[in-house]
Amino acid sequence: PRIPAALHAWQWYILPNAVLAFVLNVLVAATIKEVSAVGFILTGVCKDIFLVLFSWAFFAEKVTVQQLFGFAVTLAGVFLWSYLKVAPESGVTRFAERLLGMPAMQPQPTENTPLVKEKV
């Protein structure tokens, strides 16, 4: 008897929360579909940084210099990863590959690349 009454009293809090949870799950599925696993993790890291900075700006939460430095390093890594994915032939990418001891990436095929190499 008390549960239906409580549900009725709290319906304006429970319904929007349920809708928001549903939308969040749909967005998570869409994000995983569109980006790689690393991209999904990087999106989550950026979300965490945004939440901390939002709390700092609007709720006067304390953010230490160490946290800000960590956010800067993390965002620099996210931007570098994004750049490496967007411009694999750039000098920055080649430098990072040499610095990390990675084998040089093979050039990506274009529309004019033949499917079968001609025998000489």
Side-chain angles (χ1 to χ4, degrees), residues 19-114:
V19 170
L20 190 61
F22 175 77
V23 169
L24 178 64
N25 284 325
V26 170
L27 287 174
V28 165
T31 302
I32 291 173
K33 178 183 172 191
E34 294 298 323
V35 300
S36 66
V38 173
F40 179 70
I41 296 299
L42 293 177
T43 304
V45 168
C46 290
K47 176 199 63 138
D48 294 341
I49 292 172
F50 172 76
L51 287 174
V52 170
L53 294 178
F54 183 85
S55 297
W56 168 73
F58 293 102
F59 301 118
E61 289 289 327
K62 187 175 182 179
V63 178
T64 65
V65 174
Q66 185 177 10
Q67 285 174 306
L68 290 174
F69 181 74
F71 294 161
V73 169
T74 301
L75 288 177
V78 169
F79 290 134
L80 179 63
W81 177 263
S82 300
Y83 183 76
L84 295 178
K85 287 297 203 177
V86 170
E89 302 293 328
S90 73
V92 174
T93 304
R94 300 289 184 197
F95 176 74
E97 288 172 348
R98 284 193 306 272
L99 185 68
L100 296 172
M102 296 172 57
M105 293 182 62
Q106 299 298 322
Q108 296 294 321
T110 63
E111 293 179 1
N112 299 327
T113 305

